């Protein structure tokens, strides 16, 4: 062995240990093998006892003391175990660094990659969607990768630790390969089997992440991969998931398969890391545990960008160790590329430079003098690779700092008043006391309590009892082995990946430590391996047969313990957890939506309008068209072509909407969807109209003389195949106007007459051609009545309308569309409203009911304060006491007959109640709302005597006469451009 190789630090360096503990009376290195085994068993037993106490009491100083004592005994005596072959450096000589053409090729390749990457970053900084910038960025990464592959195949130095070679016998090589293959098969099956049913349903966050990918597939989202999407996460993740679903199909199972694939790669990386750096036994044990560890399986069956982050960290740490172990350029470069790429996924990925930087510094300090320059060179290659990979991210972040800080500001315990959201926090705590409590709560994930944020909804710790003991002992032991770069790498991987749980609210939040999940198996495997080595060292003075028996005993014992742990983990996940229904709400909600049939239009309404945007629904029911109606009080009946079935979703907290919808659509069918696992509590009510039923609620009523009314498509028209007698006809309907504006109507030939909201507006004499009339109409529904003579010849009457242009240009006439009409003979309904915003014209509207989630966006207040007032008449159906309720995101007042029934001084997220005693008949009503900020939600509900709670329906409301139809007003009284005939604005996520 060369002098450089001989001077490489050994992970179990007895000289260092003896110098530190030279004053101690007892040196574990001088004890016999039996003592080392006994003390190892004692340490584990104490840890088990401490774990049992902690698990039973959920706290308690005795448990922590026992556990700490067990870790101390185990770690202290582990120093006396002789080094394993994987702990020792290679014996072959090392001639020093390669100074030949490969070194120059590496320098040239890195220089070229840096130059191309700099140009790419500049282009992306100037235009985040620059195609040239993206291509040059990929080119720079390709140049760097090829440089490491070609120039780094040779060179390096003899292995400083880890696996020296494969087993000599071919049969053993096959056995090793078969075992690794079996581990990967087990990992794949555990992550892909029964994805549709285990777990039952989806966490809402899963759907919200996947829906961004669906938008990319459908061409709705055209963002660059470097821009940010949901929760400031880079679009890179959504783009990759979209490409995967393009291959396998759109659906929640397919989205989960992407996580499964990345999770299996993480298992492979952990197995390879263990084999290369700690020996065959550690590699196989770690791979087996990672394959069937319940929490590892869950990361592979959960749609999240955290799972690819965990995979990239596992690959990166494995390559960092490989670089420090052998000095290969490809390993250093690969570590930088993999680690740097993690910045585009879960926010924790932005902490990867801390792992790489701290590890490289430690490796540099622990290396011999002859290797330090080469370690520094390798670290520089890792840094360059990571820099090129991350450069576009930071180029965009410089222009959009929210990508870096917004989510942290929302969740960190150090910012705003977030810490007050922790249920156990006390205001008299110092920061040190808070961090101590946070660490205690976070570590409790492993052995005391379950996840807080729904990622692991099992109501139990994330590890089974034996695995939690092994993992925590291994973690503590690794943190104490500061002289060994391998253990330092694992400790850094864990703590930097785990720190997010400690420094954020919602503690303990398992999702925030997912990047550290793969390393848990390595901690447990290292403890099992050390115990096996304590048994193996008993062979020194025994015969061949006894030595072989001890070897088999050691391997068999740890294999059984690992198999027991894997069995407990796998059985819990696929038996106990499979029976749980912790995602019951989104599951039942999805069942309700999917039952409506492919192609149906499903609408959430009111303050729940955004529920239809749930990624869970879009992911689990991609064949359904989903949308939301922000203001059902003014936007219903729905002015869309009745070309399919339509279903309204009424959620458990919206009881007042079902009676309201029944009045608008009497033929609709309601069905309650309840949760059997929660005392049959209501989740959602579906109110469905078939296409035929919906179409029958659109159009107008034709009143032939002496006959019952007939529904027709528009005014004026007759049913297809009409065989009635020609002559005078009458048509009635409610007609929707989308904006307060000046409008013109054209009717003819005569004789014909047009009445709107009870006011005659147009009369055409007999024999006269079409005539026009103009007026100003408030936004909303207007009662329209037309009388004309229907003839069988070509001179059939025609009614057209048009918004009046601001210029002298002629109007753009169009007929009355079927979807804009509601067949009714009633006069004007609803309340007349005026909206006033400083410096802008008054807006006028007629609302059938007062039910809106967000009046601010509806009137386009542009975040300016506004006042809105509705007046009209309320016709009480019976005498008695009426319960009233007003939800108002602003100061609001409800008066009836001049008496104040409800008054609120400020916005509230809860309804305010009141009572009104009324006699049957009409009563003057006024509702006033003042909004200074926020969405401006408003809902007015009532409960009549002996009735049920309902949005106050249009049938009992009427606007004051002469308000919703007036003579033409000047341009200064109108706002914006003339309205265009557009369908109502629905809230959609395509």
């Amino acid at each position: 062995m060369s002098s450089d190789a001989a001077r490489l630090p050994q992970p179990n360096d007895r000289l260092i240990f003896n110098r530190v503990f030279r004053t101690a009376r007892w040196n574990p290195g001088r004890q016999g093998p039996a003592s080392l085994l006994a003390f190892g068993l004692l340490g584990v037993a104490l840890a088990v006892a401490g774990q049992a106490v902690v698990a039973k009491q959920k706290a308690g100083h005795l448990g922590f003391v026992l556990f700490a004592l067990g870790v101390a005994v185990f770690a202290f005596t582990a120093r006396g175990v002789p080094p394993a072959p994987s702990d020792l450096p290679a014996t072959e000589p090392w001639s020093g660094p390669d100074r030949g053409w490969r070194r120059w090729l590496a320098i040239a390749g890195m220089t070229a990659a840096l130059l191309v990457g700099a140009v790419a970053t500049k282009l992306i900084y100037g235009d985040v969607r620059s195609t040239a910038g993206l291509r040059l960025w990929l080119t720079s990464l390709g140049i760097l990768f090829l440089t490491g592959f070609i120039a780094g195949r040779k060179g390096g130095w003899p292995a400083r630790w880890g696996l020296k070679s494969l087993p000599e016998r071919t049969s053993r090589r096959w056995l090793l390969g078969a075992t690794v293959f079996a581990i990967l098969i087990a990992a794949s099956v555990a992550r892909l089997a029964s994805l549709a049913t285990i777990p039952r349903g989806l966490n809402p966050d899963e759907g919200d992440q996947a829906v961004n990918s669906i938008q990319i597939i459908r061409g709705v989202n055209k963002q660059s991969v470097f821009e940010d999407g949901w929760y400031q996460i880079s679009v890179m993740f959504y783009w990759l998931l979209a490409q995967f679903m393009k291959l396998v199909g759109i659906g929640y199972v397919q989205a989960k398969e992407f996580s499964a694939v990345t999770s299996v790669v993480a298992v492979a990386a952990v197995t390879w890391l263990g084999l290369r750096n700690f020996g065959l036994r550690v590699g196989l044990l770690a791979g087996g545990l990672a394959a069937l560890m319940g929490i590892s399986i869950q990361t592979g069956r959960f749609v999240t960008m955290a799972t690819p982050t965990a995979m990239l960290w596992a690959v990166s740490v494995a390559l960092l160790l490989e670089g420090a172990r052998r000095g290969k350029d490809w390993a250093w470069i690969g570590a930088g590329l993999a680690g740097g790429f993690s910045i585009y996924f879960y926010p924790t990925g932005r902490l990867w430079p801390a792992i790489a930087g701290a590890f490289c510094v430690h490796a540099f300090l622990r290396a011999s003098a002859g290797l330090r320059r080469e370690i520094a060179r390798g670290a520089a290659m890792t840094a360059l690779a990571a820099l090129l990979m991350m450069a576009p991210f930071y180029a965009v972040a410089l222009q959009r700092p929210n990508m870096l800080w917004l989510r942290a500001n929302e969740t960190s315990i150090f910012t705003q008043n977030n810490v007050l959201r922790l249920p156990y926090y006390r205001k008299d705590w110092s920061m040190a006391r808070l961090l101590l409590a946070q660490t205690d709560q976070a570590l409790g994930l492993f052995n005391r309590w379950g996840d807080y944020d729904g990622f692991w909804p099992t109501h139990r710790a994330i590890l089974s009892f034996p695995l939690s003991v092994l993992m925590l002992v291994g973690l503590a032991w690794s943190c104490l082995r500061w002289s060994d770069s391998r253990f330092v790498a694992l400790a850094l991987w864990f703590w930097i990946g785990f720190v997010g749980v400690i420094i954020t609210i919602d503690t303990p939040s398992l999702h925030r430590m997912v990047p550290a999940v793969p390393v848990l198996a390595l901690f447990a495997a290292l403890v099992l391996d050390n115990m096996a080595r304590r048994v193996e060292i008993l062979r020194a003075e025994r015969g061949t047969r006894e030595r072989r028996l001890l070897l088999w005993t050691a391997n068999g014992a740890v294999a059984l313990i690992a198999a027991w742990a894997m069995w407990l983990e796998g059985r819990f996940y696929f038996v106990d957890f499979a029976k749980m229904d912790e995602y019951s709400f989104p599951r039942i909600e999805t069942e309700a939506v999917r039952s409506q049939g492919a192609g149906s239009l499903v609408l959430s309404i009111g303050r729940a309008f955004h529920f239809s945007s749930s990624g869970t629904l879009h992911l689990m029911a991609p064949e359904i068209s989903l949308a939301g109606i922000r203001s059902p009080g003014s936007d219903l009946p729905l002015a869309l072509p009745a070309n399919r079935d339509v279903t309204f979703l009424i959620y458990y907290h919206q009881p007042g909407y079902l009676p309201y919808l029944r009045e608008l659509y009497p033929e609709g069918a309601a069905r309650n969807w309840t949760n059997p696992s929660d005392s049959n509590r209501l989740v959602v009510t579906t109110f469905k109209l078939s296409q035929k039923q919906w179409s029958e609620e659109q159009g107008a009523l034709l009143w032939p003389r002496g006959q019952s009314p007939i529904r027709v498509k528009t005014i004026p028209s007759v049913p297809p195949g009409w065989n009635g007698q020609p002559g005078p006809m009458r048509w009635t309907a409610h007609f929707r106007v989308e904006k307060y504006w000046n409008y013109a109507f054209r009717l003819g030939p005569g004789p014909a007459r047009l009445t709107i909201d009870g006011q005659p507006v147009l009369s055409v004499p007999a024999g006269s051609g079409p005539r026009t009339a103009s007026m100003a109409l408030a936004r909303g529904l207007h009662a329209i009545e037309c009388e004309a003579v229907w003839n069988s010849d070509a001179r059939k009457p025609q009614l057209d309308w048009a918004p009046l242009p601001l210029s002298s240009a002629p109007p753009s006439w169009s007929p009355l569309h079927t979807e804009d009409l509601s067949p009714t003979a009633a006069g004007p309904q609803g309340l007349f409203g005026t909206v006033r915003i400083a410096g802008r014209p008054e807006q006028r509207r007629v609302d059938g009911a007062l039910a809106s989630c967000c009046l601010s966006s509806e009137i386009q207040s542009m975040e300016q304060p506004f006042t809105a007032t509705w007046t009209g008449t309320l016709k009480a159906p019976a005498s008695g006491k009426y319960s009233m309720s007003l939800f108002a995101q602003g100061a609001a007042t409800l008066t009836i007959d001049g008496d104040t029934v409800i008054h609120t001084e400020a916005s509230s997220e809860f309804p305010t109640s009141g009572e009104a005693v009324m006699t049957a008949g009409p009563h003057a009503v006024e509702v006033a709302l003042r909004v200074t900020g926020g969405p401006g939600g408003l809902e007015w509900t009532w409960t009549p005597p002996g009735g049920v709670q309902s949005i106050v329906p249009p049938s009992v409301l009427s606007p004051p006469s002469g308000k919703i139809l007036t003579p033409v007003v000047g341009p200064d009284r109108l706002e914006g451009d003339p309205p265009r005939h557009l369908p109502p604005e629905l809230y959609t996520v395509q």
Side-chain angles (χ1 to χ4, degrees), residues 695 698-703 710-720 730-733 735 784 786 790 797-801 814-823:
S695 64
Q698 293 183 343
L701 289 180
L702 166 63
W703 300 77
I710 304 170
R711 193 195 71 85
V712 293
K713 289 186 177 182
T714 188
I715 299 176
S717 67
V718 296
R730 183 169 67 95
W731 293 265
T732 61
F735 175 60
I784 187 168
C786 177
W790 186 264
Q798 179 68 36
L799 175 63
D800 297 313
W801 77 299
S814 68
L816 305 185
H817 296 280
T818 302
E819 60 268 23
D820 293 327
L821 299 170
S822 299

Side-chain angles (χ1 to χ4, degrees), residues 608-625:
F609 77 96
H610 59 286
F611 282 29
S612 65
S613 70
S614 162
T616 304
L617 294 180
H618 283 271
L619 191 57
M620 298 186 72
E623 70 282 2
I624 306 293
S625 297

Side-chain angles (χ1 to χ4, degrees), residues 57-143:
Q57 299 180 357
K58 303 298 183 184
H61 297 298
L62 176 60
F64 294 133
V65 169
L66 288 173
F67 195 90
L69 183 59
V71 169
V73 170
F74 181 89
F76 191 70
T77 58
R79 296 281 188 168
V81 179
S86 60
D87 296 331
L88 299 173
T91 57
E92 65 264 26
W94 180 52
S95 59
D98 182 7
R99 305 293 184 183
W101 64 269
R102 289 187 180 86
R103 179 62 61 95
W104 291 108
L105 177 61
I107 294 174
M110 289 188 291
T111 302
L114 181 60
L115 293 175
V116 175
V119 174
T121 303
K122 183 177 180 180
L123 291 174
I124 293 169
Y125 181 80
D127 178 10
V128 70
R129 302 188 182 185
S130 170
T131 302
L134 175 61
R135 290 175 178 173
L136 286 175
W137 177 68
L138 294 173
T139 301
S140 70
L141 300 179
I143 292 172

Side-chain angles (χ1 to χ4, degrees), residues 144-145 272 311-324 328-342 352-353 355-356 359-360 378-379 381-387 389-390:
L144 193 60
F145 177 79
W272 186 74
M311 174 199 71
L312 291 168
W313 277 27
V315 172
S316 177
V317 173
L319 291 174
L320 279 173
L321 284 169
E322 186 67 18
K328 299 290 188 180
D329 290 354
W330 61 265
W332 292 113
I333 292 174
L337 292 176
F341 195 39
S342 69
W352 172 85
I355 298 177
F359 173 79
C360 289
M381 297 176 74
T382 298
L384 174 62
L387 177 63
M389 181 64 79
M390 296 187 295

Side-chain angles (χ1 to χ4, degrees), residues 84-86 163 176 274-275 278-288 525-526 528-536 550-556 558-559:
S86 60
L163 187 65
L176 173 61
L275 290 172
F278 298 100
L280 297 179
R281 185 163 51 210
V282 172
L284 297 179
L285 287 172
L526 287 168
L528 291 174
D529 175 69
N530 185 267
M531 291 303 301
R533 285 168 55 195
R534 294 180 192 236
V535 175
E536 291 174 349
L550 284 171
L551 177 63
W552 279 97
T553 300
N555 288 328
V558 297

